[in-house]
Amino acid sequence: MGDEDWTNSDFVPLVPTSAISGEGVQDILMLLCQIAQRKLWKQLMWCANLQATVLEVKAIDGLGMTVDVLVVNGYLREGDRVALCTLDGPVITEIRGLLTPPPSREMRIKSEYIHHKEIKGALGVKLIGNNLEKVMAGTSVMVSISPVRIINHFNNLNFI
C-alpha cells in the first residue's frame, strides 16, 4: 500500500511489532509521526497568537514568587504586561524576567537559569513579576493589550 492510498482514508496501515524483541517500534513511531503531520497539520502548526498555561507557582530565593509557564504558541517578551488568573480576579503584571534552565536540564533541578529577553513557543519558562502569589495553576496567560479589555474578558469567565 503506497503513501497516497491511506492519506485521505479513515483506515490506518498495520505495523507488526514485538513486545519481546522491540522489533517494529521504530516503524510504528515513524508511521504515527507521518499520520500526525498529514492529518493534523493545522493543529500542529505554530502561530504567533500567545497560547500559554501556568504550570506552577513557587518562591525562589533571590527572585521572589515565580510562575512556571508552558508557552505553546506565540511570543513572551520581557516588559510585556500579562494577565494571570487568581481566585480574586485577574492580576495584571509586567514581566521582569524570563528564565529557562540550561539545555538538557529540567526546571525542577536547582541550577543557574538562562535569562532571555524574548521567548518563542513551544517552551517551558519561568516568569518573574509582581503580585504572583495567588496565581492559579492550570489557567491561561494573556498578554495585556489594554487593562480594561483584559478585565472585561476575565469578568465573562465563570469560575467554579
Side-chain angles (χ1 to χ4, degrees):
M1 184 182 257
D3 271 354
E4 60 281 343
D5 295 335
W6 59 270
T7 53
N8 294 324
S9 170
D10 289 335
F11 297 100
V12 180
L14 295 176
V15 178
T17 57
S18 170
I20 296 169
S21 67
E23 185 180 2
V25 173
Q26 295 88 359
D27 296 331
I28 201 164
L29 287 174
M30 183 184 71
L31 182 67
L32 286 172
C33 289
Q34 287 176 349
I35 291 171
Q37 288 174 351
R38 289 191 176 126
K39 291 194 177 244
L40 303 173
W41 66 271
K42 288 182 181 177
Q43 290 91 337
L44 294 173
M45 244 169 71
W46 184 86
C47 66
N49 296 336
L50 181 66
Q51 183 183 1
T53 304
V54 175
L55 298 177
E56 186 177 15
V57 180
K58 62 183 169 183
I60 296 198
D61 296 334
L63 298 176
M65 290 304 288
T66 63
V67 176
D68 292 345
V69 173
L70 180 63
V71 180
V72 177
N73 277 318
Y75 292 95
L76 274 179
R77 294 173 185 86
E78 194 173 286
D80 278 352
R81 292 172 49 95
V82 293
L84 302 157
C85 295
T86 69
L87 289 175
D88 302 330
V91 169
I92 298 175
T93 187
E94 184 176 326
I95 298 175
R96 292 186 297 147
L98 295 165
L99 305 175
T100 60
S104 302
R105 289 263 175 90
E106 292 186 25
M107 287 185 109
R108 296 177 295 170
I109 298 173
K110 197 166 195 166
S111 64
E112 292 295 317
Y113 292 102
I114 300 171
H115 188 86
H116 299 276
K117 296 286 184 191
E118 179 180 87
I119 293 290
K120 178 182 176 184
L123 190 65
V125 64
K126 187 175 290 294
L127 295 182
I128 305 170
N130 297 325
N131 305 323
L132 300 176
E133 297 82 21
K134 295 183 180 182
V135 173
M136 295 187 308
T139 57
S140 296
V141 178
M142 294 181 63
V143 173
S144 175
I145 298 161
S146 101
V148 173
R149 186 172 164 195
I150 294 295
I151 290 170
N152 288 337
H153 174 76
F154 279 101
N155 287 338
N156 292 332
L157 294 177
N158 295 321
F159 290 106
I160 298 172

